[in-house]
Amino acid sequence: MAVGLVAAVVGIALWWNAPATQGGAPGGKAKVAPSAVAAEVRANATESRTSRGGPAEVDRVKTFEDLKQRAKAGDAVAQRLLADTYEGCYFVNIDREHFMDSLDFYRQMIRAPAQLSVLEQVAAERFAQCGAVDGGAIVPMQLVTGWYAQAAENGDLAARLMDNAFKRKRLDTAEAAEQLEEVLGSNDPAAVFAMGSTLHSNYPASTGGPAEGLMTGEHAGEAWMVAGCRMGYDCGPSGKLMGTLCLIQNACTGEDFEAYLKRAMMNEAERRDLERRVTEILRLVEG
C-alpha cells in the first residue's frame, strides 16, 4: 500500500512513463479501444467547459495564466503550485486522446456505480482543467522539475522536498535532521505533507532526535501526509490529490484522503499505529 501510494502522489510523470504491470495500463504497450465511456467523458468535459453560460473554460485559462504570471514574477508558492499543476496534467496532456481511451481499463476494475460516476466526473474535470494548461499542450518533464527547483531555490520548503525527490537526492543523517527540524518548525501544511510523500525517497533510516521513530515503518510516509491534511493541506474528496488517486489507483470513493487510507488498511492495529504517529507529528509541529 505505502509504496504504491507514494508513487501516486509524488513523481506522477515518472510513474506514467514506467512499464505497466498489466496490459493496457498507463505506460504499457497494449492499446484500449475507444468506447462509450470515452465519448461520455468527452461530452462531460465539454459540458463542464460550457456550463454556467460558457465562462468555465475562460475562467480556467485565466486562473492558470494568473498563476503562471505570479510564478514568473518570482512568487515561490506560485512556482510550487505551477509545478504541481504541470505534474497533475503530465499524464493527461501527454496524449489527451489516450487519456480518454484509457478510462475503459479503469472502468473494468470498478464495480460500484457510485464509484464509476466519481471516475467519470473526475476525469471530465481533469481533462477540462488540463485543457487550460498551455492550451492542452504536452507538458515537458522539465517544466515540472524546473518549477519545483525554482520554488525550492526561492525558499519554498515543500518544493525543496519535492526537488530532492525528483533528483533522487539521499540526505545524510545531519542533512536529514536539519531538514526535519525545518519542517517541524515551519507550521506549513504543504511541507508536512511533502515530508510524507517524499519520505522514503529522501531520508536515511536514522535521523536521530525525538522524531526518529516517526521516520521509519510501513506507514510512516502516510502519517506525515495525514498530519499535513489535518493542518489544512487540500486532501478533500474534490481536491487534486484525491482526483489523482482516483485516476491512477481507482480510489474513486468520494472520501477524503484520511478516510480512504484508513479504510484501505488491513486491520485496526494499523489504523491505531497511524493515529499514534499522526498525533505525535502534530504535537511536535505545535512545539
Side-chain angles (χ1 to χ4, degrees):
M1 171 68 178
V3 174
L5 183 57
V6 170
V9 173
V10 63
I12 297 297
L14 296 177
W15 179 90
W16 190 258
N17 272 339
T21 57
Q22 300 182 56
K29 300 298 183 182
K31 294 291 184 180
V32 179
S35 76
V37 67
E40 182 177 354
V41 172
R42 289 189 189 92
N44 289 342
T46 301
E47 182 179 354
S48 69
R49 288 196 301 269
T50 57
S51 62
R52 301 186 304 279
E57 184 175 13
V58 173
D59 288 347
R60 289 189 183 94
V61 171
K62 183 179 186 303
T63 297
F64 172 75
E65 292 299 332
D66 287 348
L67 175 64
K68 193 173 181 179
Q69 287 304 311
R70 294 199 307 275
K72 287 183 174 180
D75 184 320
V77 173
Q79 290 169 343
R80 169 171 53 80
L81 293 175
L82 182 60
D84 185 64
T85 299
Y86 278 130
E87 185 180 359
C89 289
Y90 180 92
F91 67 99
V92 178
N93 287 1
I94 195 169
D95 187 337
R96 288 171 68 79
E97 191 72 20
H98 171 69
F99 170 71
M100 288 304 187
D101 295 341
S102 70
L103 293 177
D104 265 359
F105 173 78
Y106 295 108
R107 188 182 181 94
Q108 292 165 17
M109 298 173 67
I110 296 176
R111 295 291 177 260
Q115 292 187 28
L116 288 173
S117 177
V118 172
L119 170 64
E120 291 164 8
Q121 292 170 9
V122 167
E125 182 60 23
R126 184 66 65 92
F127 187 79
Q129 288 174 345
C130 293
V133 173
D134 292 336
I138 291 174
V139 177
M141 187 60 184
Q142 292 83 351
L143 282 177
V144 178
T145 58
W147 281 113
Y148 275 129
Q150 188 64 56
E153 184 178 333
N154 286 337
D156 187 272
L157 182 55
R160 192 198 314 164
L161 271 67
M162 295 297 292
D163 184 45
N164 286 345
F166 272 103
K167 290 176 178 175
R168 295 179 172 83
K169 178 182 179 180
R170 294 290 295 181
L171 304 180
D172 62 30
T173 301
E175 290 173 327
E178 181 180 355
Q179 189 155 281
L180 172 60
E181 185 176 347
E182 281 189 80
V183 172
L184 290 174
S186 69
N187 199 32
D188 180 355
V192 173
F193 185 90
M195 171 68 85
S197 67
T198 64
L199 185 63
H200 300 294
S201 300
N202 292 349
Y203 285 86
S206 175
T207 59
E212 180 172 2
L214 301 173
M215 309 299 285
T216 59
E218 184 179 2
H219 297 297
E222 283 92 335
W224 284 89
M225 287 165 17
V226 169
C229 296
R230 291 191 188 178
M231 291 172 64
Y233 189 81
D234 184 7
C235 304
S238 61
K240 176 179 173 289
L241 169 64
M242 292 311 297
T244 297
L245 289 174
C246 172
L247 290 172
I248 69 175
Q249 285 204 336
N250 292 337
C252 306
T253 60
E255 300 168 297
D256 64 21
F257 178 71
E258 182 174 349
Y260 164 70
L261 178 62
K262 287 182 174 178
R263 187 177 51 77
M265 286 180 163
M266 297 296 293
N267 53 57
E268 189 60 33
E270 287 189 329
R271 298 183 190 97
R272 287 196 300 269
D273 181 63
L274 178 73
E275 184 62 33
R276 177 191 62 79
R277 288 171 179 267
V278 172
T279 300
E280 181 63 15
I281 290 167
L282 293 175
R283 186 188 69 78
L284 291 170
V285 169
E286 292 167 1

